[in-house]
Amino acid sequence: MTSDAIIQIEHISRSYAMGDEVVRALRDVSVTIGKNEYIAIMGPSGSGKSTLMNMLGCLDTPSSGSYFFNGVDVRTLSDDELADIRNKEIGFVFQTFNLLPRASALKNVELPLIYAGLSADARRERAIEALTSVGLEARMSHKPNELSGGQRQRVAIARALVTRPSIILADEPTGNLDSKTGQEIMALFQQLWEQGNTVIVVTHEEDIARHTHRIVRLRDGLIESDEPNDAKSL
Amino acid sequence: MPRASEIAESFRIAVSSVRANLMRSILTTSGIVVGIFFVVLMGVFIKGLDAVWEKTISIIGKDMIYVDKWDWAGGHSWRKAETRKDITFEQAEALCARLEAPELAMPLARRWGGSVMVGNKSMNCSVMGTTSLYGQTPAGEIESGRFFNPMEEQQGTNVTVIGYGVAKTFFPDGNAVGQTIKIKGFPFRIIGTIAKRGFLFMDFIDNQAFISLEAFKSVYGFQDRNFEVGIKAGNERMLDLVRDEAVGVMRQIRNVPPGAPDDFSVNEMKAFDSQAAAIRLGIWVVGIVLTALSFVVGAIGIMNIMFVSVTERTKEIGIRKAIGARRSSILMQFLLESSLLCIAGALIAIPLVQIVVFSIRFFLLNILEIEAIEAVSPLLPLDLLAIAIAVSIFVGLVAGIFPAIKAAFMNPVDALRFE
Ligand SMILES: Nc1ncnc2c1ncn2[C@@H]1O[C@H](COP(=O)(O)OP(=O)(O)OP(=O)(O)O)[C@@H](O)[C@H]1O
Ligand SMILES: [Mg+2]
């Protein structure tokens, strides 16, 4: 285990029981991810990308195998400790944004800080800062349905950033956006990486993956390849 | 331990959720409204009964006991009492003379349903023959004029002291003293009136006229008459001692063989305590049954709507968990929501009960003119309000716990997938 490995998974599998059938979404996956890496996870639909991301984001637990997050075996953590990791260490960005529809952009971004126990003033300040960093300072009081798809995803990214996590996980963050907006969103991830974050992005599109430095390809729940992105790597 | 920011957030979510579904919330909470309504109403009834009862017995005298052939408890003791021999005047007098512990003791002769007249107006009232000592008991408290004195008592002068009800019937203007009243045709001069003593189901106390035993003898005769002895212990602590002494002496006077049961009864205001307790119990039972029923119905309604609420907000729960909400946060969010629904029910119920209590009190006091109700406050007592709120919170927690647990233990990935 290298000292700067932030994520280390070893032989994990995840299967779902569907009636009599068992769907093996992940079969045997091992990956080590270091600090400040910028990684794309690719693969055909149903290959297990989202399953893997949920695992990495501590939203789900593996059926077998082990997951060390910052050197800690995730299986030994309580539900509250997992919640705290999701809150403080991980920023998750979803394909479908997953914003609270009735809350303003500002309120949505403040939400993780509520669970982090910050005071109202500190929350507001940090949320405004995060929204400004994604270029939405003029839209803070808008509700999600008053924002465009790209703006919604920016709110979601601001929400992922606001607790200053060490890892940003994004599951097809541009999947619901047109390609121009998608490029803008990818530029934001690029920026986050430049600021020292570890960024992991799931995508279908080679165009998007081009921005990253390492590409992990999945097929049928197995890693097909895990290579540096030649175009980008130093 | 949830943090302050989480509690505040849970509270905000709960409020906005209740408000977002206002109509649904109000309908859901109706069972709780009915439950709280009955709880508080029952509490007010019992408190009112206690207040009126307390007032009644303190007016008649908590330290008074009455030695009599008859038993106030009634029922089967009545049949037993029927076979007893009357207490004669001599026995009553002897008992009064031999008692040492009490402050006062006096023989009483009673004529139920005696006819009294002023002019050509008449009414039925009980006529009591007693001694001047009766004027020193709480039941003989004078409102105007005076009680008869020992000289009038000895001579059997035709003077009388009348109860509040009698005075009000014949002399509504309050000028009874000095007037003449006919008792069984004999003219008596009214020398005093007694303050209002009767309350609740003790109203007969006000419809009495008091004359001396001598006068009573002339009017009604002592033949075949049962006498009572009224004893004022002096204070409540003396009651046991005085009762024991009265029983001992009376057994001697009436030659009751050792081991045989008393052939007389010792009556106290306490005898009515069991009746008051029975009424109390009745209200409790009815109230508890109605309350429990409506709370069960109400809680099921709330639980149902909370399950709906949890399902509707599955995605939201997933989002909150994904960004770091702990189980306890989600649990609290839904428990707060269900409690809030129930508190809202209590807040709807309380003004309703207040209106009902106010109306009932007004009706009893001003239409039925039951003055004893004055002892009952028109405003709901604060402790009952606190109980109502506490009960509603409890019901909210009970009704909300299963939906809240369902929400708290959702798997975040499954919750996020929910459409
Ligand atoms: N909760 C679940 N219950 C049952 N099967 C599931 C569940 N989640 C995922 N699967 C199955 O696991 C496999 C992998 O799913 P996953 O969502 O990880 O694929 P993906 O690579 O993200 O696909 P896409 O590109 O379409 O998002 C699929 O066959 C899917 O049907
Ligand atoms: Mg997917």
Side-chain angles (χ1 to χ4, degrees):
Chain A
M1 205 189 304
T2 53
S3 63
D4 63 349
I6 206 167
I7 283 173
Q8 187 171 19
I9 56 177
E10 288 165 359
H11 307 293
I12 63 164
S13 73
R14 177 71 166 97
S15 35
Y16 299 99
M18 297 286 287
D20 294 341
E21 227 181 311
V22 175
V23 180
R24 300 181 68 189
L26 292 177
R27 288 162 193 274
D28 180 4
V29 173
S30 302
V31 178
T32 301
I33 297 171
K35 274 209 180 78
N36 199 20
E37 281 204 71
Y38 190 7
I39 301 179
I41 296 178
M42 301 193 68
S45 187
S47 57
K49 305 183 294 295
S50 295
T51 307
L52 178 60
M53 285 298 264
N54 292 339
M55 220 69 81
L56 297 181
C58 295
L59 289 169
D60 201 1
T61 42
S63 305
S64 68
S66 48
Y67 176 13
F68 293 91
F69 184 90
N70 274 333
V72 178
D73 188 346
V74 166
R75 285 176 308 182
T76 65
L77 299 178
S78 69
D79 196 80
D80 279 357
E81 287 167 327
L82 287 175
D84 287 350
I85 288 186
R86 292 197 291 268
N87 184 245
K88 297 195 177 66
E89 307 287 347
I90 294 166
F92 215 110
V93 179
F94 303 89
Q95 178 174 357
T96 53
F97 320 133
N98 282 342
L99 299 173
L100 294 185
R102 288 206 298 268
S104 69
L106 186 65
K107 183 70 208 294
N108 265 292
V109 177
E110 275 187 35
L111 211 54
L113 301 177
I114 286 172
Y115 297 115
L118 264 67
S119 74
D121 287 346
R123 293 201 301 260
R124 209 182 143 77
E125 195 179 312
R126 293 263 294 265
I128 290 174
E129 190 186 315
L131 279 164
T132 307
S133 76
V134 298
L136 276 184
E137 59 275 24
R139 295 281 187 279
M140 292 194 294
S141 58
H142 289 230
K143 302 241 169 83
N145 63 3
E146 299 160 350
L147 296 169
S148 72
Q151 286 169 335
R152 285 181 214 183
Q153 197 57 298
R154 283 166 192 269
V155 174
I157 292 170
R159 182 180 66 186
L161 293 179
V162 77
T163 55
R164 299 176 187 152
S166 43
I167 306 176
I168 306 287
L169 300 175
D171 190 352
E172 300 197 48
T174 61
N176 280 5
L177 304 174
D178 61 57
S179 61
K180 180 172 168 290
T181 318
Q183 292 295 339
E184 286 167 16
I185 294 296
M186 287 316 292
L188 272 175
F189 285 115
Q190 174 87 20
Q191 204 181 309
L192 289 174
W193 167 74
E194 281 162 7
Q195 286 160 8
N197 283 292
T198 307
V199 179
I200 306 172
V201 184
V202 169
T203 182
H204 278 302
E205 300 169 54
E206 298 290 346
D207 261 10
I208 300 285
R210 257 188 328 124
H211 292 87
T212 65
H213 300 188
R214 175 176 163 192
I215 300 178
V216 176
R217 291 180 197 275
L218 289 181
R219 180 176 295 275
D220 295 334
L222 289 168
I223 293 185
E224 188 184 47
S225 68
D226 178 356
E227 294 163 342
N229 183 359
D230 297 330
K232 279 281 178 175
S233 60
L234 310 172
Chain B
M1 202 33 219
R3 288 160 277 226
S5 57
E6 290 176 80
I7 297 172
E9 169 73 1
S10 297
F11 191 74
R12 257 194 314 272
I13 302 166
V15 171
S16 78
S17 164
V18 170
R19 274 177 44 189
N21 302 299
L22 195 60
M23 203 57 214
R24 185 171 92 183
S25 305
I26 289 174
L27 290 176
T28 311
T29 201
S30 52
I32 304 300
V33 172
V34 175
I36 294 291
F37 184 89
F38 282 126
V39 165
V40 178
L41 200 61
M42 175 178 72
V44 170
F45 269 35
I46 289 176
K47 273 183 178 269
L49 188 77
D50 285 350
V52 170
W53 179 245
E54 183 59 28
K55 183 149 187 187
T56 300
I57 61 172
S58 69
I59 276 179
I60 293 169
K62 285 182 182 171
D63 65 336
M64 288 295 293
I65 61 179
Y66 294 87
V67 177
D68 194 356
K69 166 185 163 181
W70 303 105
D71 197 310
W72 288 359
H76 68 96
S77 7
W78 187 82
R79 244 171 288 127
K80 196 172 68 191
E82 217 178 9
T83 65
R84 292 171 174 168
K85 280 200 195 127
D86 286 343
I87 297 176
T88 65
F89 177 66
E90 288 70 27
Q91 288 173 341
E93 222 179 13
L95 178 62
C96 293
R98 286 174 58 182
L99 287 177
E100 283 169 357
E103 184 187 327
L104 304 168
M106 72 227 74
L108 305 168
R110 211 190 281 273
R111 165 73 200 201
W112 295 101
S115 151
V116 297
M117 287 182 79
V118 170
N120 47 18
K121 203 171 164 194
S122 74
M123 77 178 280
N124 273 347
C125 87
S126 79
V127 178
M128 170 139 20
T130 183
T131 72
S132 54
L133 292 178
Y134 195 85
Q136 294 171 40
T137 67
E141 193 184 302
I142 289 293
E143 185 174 61
S144 62
R146 60 179 179 82
F147 213 82
F148 49 81
N149 58 36
M151 199 155 76
E152 290 160 330
E153 185 188 324
Q154 256 167 32
Q155 297 175 349
T157 316
N158 279 11
V159 291
T160 180
V161 179
I162 58 175
Y164 179 85
V166 182
K168 212 173 152 202
T169 306
F170 290 123
F171 310 102
D173 300 337
N175 52 350
V177 176
Q179 309 272 1
T180 300
I181 188 168
K182 280 187 174 158
I183 298 176
K184 204 186 160 198
F186 297 92
F188 276 74
R189 189 162 54 88
I190 300 170
I191 56 170
T193 61
I194 288 177
K196 181 160 176 53
R197 306 279 80 182
F199 275 106
L200 207 61
F201 41 86
M202 309 286 285
D203 272 342
F204 68 89
I205 286 171
D206 287 327
N207 292 328
Q208 296 190 102
F210 299 88
I211 58 179
S212 66
L213 282 161
E214 240 353 88
F216 192 94
K217 191 177 183 180
S218 328
V219 175
Y220 295 110
F222 277 2
Q223 210 63 40
D224 293 332
R225 187 162 297 286
N226 175 53
F227 287 81
E228 291 168 55
V229 175
I231 302 171
K232 186 174 192 299
N235 60 55
E236 276 182 77
R237 272 169 291 123
M238 293 286 289
L239 267 177
D240 288 335
L241 183 73
V242 169
R243 190 187 308 108
D244 289 348
E245 189 191 16
V247 169
V249 172
M250 197 58 171
R251 284 176 70 95
Q252 280 178 22
I253 291 173
R254 286 174 56 99
N255 292 320
V256 180
D262 297 343
D263 64 350
F264 55 91
S265 291
V266 178
N267 298 312
E268 297 169 44
M269 288 313 291
K270 254 202 208 142
F272 293 106
D273 272 357
S274 61
Q275 289 183 19
I279 295 176
R280 221 168 191 280
L281 188 73
I283 296 176
W284 265 106
V285 169
V286 172
I288 292 278
V289 168
L290 289 177
T291 306
L293 270 179
S294 40
F295 276 144
V296 167
V297 172
I300 290 173
I302 299 258
M303 193 182 299
N304 187 40
I305 218 70
M306 289 307 298
F307 273 123
V308 171
S309 182
V310 167
T311 305
E312 279 175 351
R313 284 151 67 194
T314 301
K315 183 125 192 170
E316 177 193 322
I317 295 165
I319 295 172
R320 288 180 187 277
K321 293 199 120 187
I323 61 173
R326 294 176 174 191
R327 281 178 184 158
S328 54
S329 281
I330 305 290
L331 193 78
M332 186 170 59
Q333 170 185 335
F334 285 98
L335 284 181
L336 265 173
E337 182 174 334
S338 65
S339 303
L340 214 63
L341 277 173
C342 291
I343 293 173
L347 294 183
I348 294 172
I350 286 168
L352 291 180
V353 194
Q354 178 65 78
I355 291 170
V356 168
V357 166
F358 199 81
S359 311
I360 292 180
R361 188 178 183 276
F362 184 87
F363 179 75
L364 293 178
L365 195 58
N366 298 317
I367 313 289
L368 297 185
E369 298 190 344
I370 301 174
E371 288 169 49
I373 301 302
E374 266 173 12
V376 182
S377 159
L379 294 178
L380 297 181
L382 284 178
D383 54 349
L384 279 182
L385 298 188
I387 289 173
I389 299 282
V391 167
S392 66
I393 292 174
F394 176 75
V395 173
L397 294 178
V398 169
I401 189 73
F402 291 112
I405 286 176
K406 181 187 173 193
F409 281 79
M410 272 181 186
N411 173 301
V413 179
D414 295 340
L416 281 168
R417 279 167 164 261
F418 185 86
E419 288 310 328

